[in-house]
Amino acid sequence: MTSGCLLGLLLMTAALTRTGAVPVPSPLRALPGTRGCHLAQFKSLSPQELQAFKRAKDAFEESLLQKDWNCSSRIFPRTRDLRQLQVWERPVALKAEVALTLAVLGTMANSSLGSTLDQPLHTLGHIHSQLQACVPAQPTAGPRPRDRLHHWLHRLQEAPKKESQDCLEASVMFNLFRLLTRDLKCVASGHLCV
């Protein structure tokens, strides 16, 4: 192919792309009408961010050795998988999961783990703010939550009322890496998470 033909093809492709005649991947939008929703950046966290979470989890596990605790229920059951939800439901569920995690870790920040939690709290706060941009505050517009999502949201909402603080802390800490490496990645991948 000559350079003139190649240049012509490139120009035509650029023109078609600008006019919308050729489909171009757009940033992930969780629900129609959401603006500023940029979750694709969370397909993977940096090694430094993951290391900060590992340090916090390790410090927490060390503190557990000094406690006598017994938790019978699971706030985050192993059978729960965001892939079971519709794509638009996933950010809603993840937002609730991150909100609970932030609330529990926020109360733990006043403990001996305080400085260890600074970076994880900052990262989770950023993730939560991005999720807020993707999920409308009032779910009255758009699709209604189905049974599975409704049950999951109710479970997260009731957890602080039903569980002891120690069990909440343990559940949240033991769920951290699933939240970061599986749930967050799934939501960030949108339709590609199957």
Side-chain angles (χ1 to χ4, degrees):
M1 189 177 279
T2 66
S3 61
C5 288
L6 184 59
L7 180 62
L9 277 173
L10 288 173
L11 288 173
M12 188 164 47
T13 302
L16 289 173
T17 302
R18 282 196 186 124
T19 62
V22 174
V24 177
S26 60
L28 175 68
R29 296 223 190 290
L31 296 171
T34 55
R35 300 192 192 287
C37 178
H38 305 289
L39 294 178
Q41 64 184 308
F42 298 120
K43 285 183 183 174
S44 65
L45 295 178
S46 74
Q48 295 82 7
E49 288 171 315
L50 289 174
Q51 186 61 36
F53 281 98
K54 183 178 180 338
R55 279 192 302 273
K57 186 174 183 257
D58 289 348
F60 176 76
E61 287 176 356
E62 188 68 31
S63 74
L64 277 182
L65 298 175
Q66 300 159 7
K67 290 183 180 180
D68 182 27
W69 63 282
N70 183 17
C71 301
S72 58
S73 66
R74 290 183 171 267
I75 299 171
F76 306 100
R78 288 186 184 143
T79 56
R80 183 194 59 80
D81 188 345
L82 288 182
R83 294 176 297 181
Q84 297 169 341
L85 300 175
Q86 292 183 25
V87 174
W88 72 266
E89 294 175 315
R90 295 171 187 170
V92 177
L94 184 62
K95 179 183 170 196
E97 187 177 344
V98 171
L100 177 62
T101 302
L102 272 171
V104 172
L105 292 184
T107 62
M108 294 171 66
N110 296 329
S111 69
S112 60
L113 299 175
S115 62
T116 310
L117 291 173
D118 288 345
Q119 180 61 43
L121 282 169
H122 175 76
T123 301
L124 285 169
H126 178 63
I127 292 167
H128 190 256
S129 69
Q130 291 299 309
L131 284 165
Q132 285 179 312
C134 298
V135 178
Q138 296 294 332
T140 55
R144 303 290 301 163
R146 295 182 326 174
D147 290 341
R148 187 171 286 156
L149 175 62
H150 179 74
H151 175 72
W152 176 239
L153 295 175
H154 180 73
R155 180 186 207 119
L156 290 175
Q157 183 180 12
E158 292 296 311
K161 299 172 193 167
K162 292 183 176 181
E163 300 295 330
S164 70
Q165 185 62 30
D166 286 344
C167 287
L168 279 172
E169 291 173 4
S171 293
V172 162
M173 290 303 279
F174 294 133
N175 186 60
L176 266 179
F177 283 95
R178 179 170 137 175
L179 183 156
L180 297 169
T181 60
R182 194 167 107 189
D183 295 349
L184 182 60
K185 182 178 181 177
C186 180
V187 170
S189 298
H191 292 286
L192 300 177
C193 179
V194 289

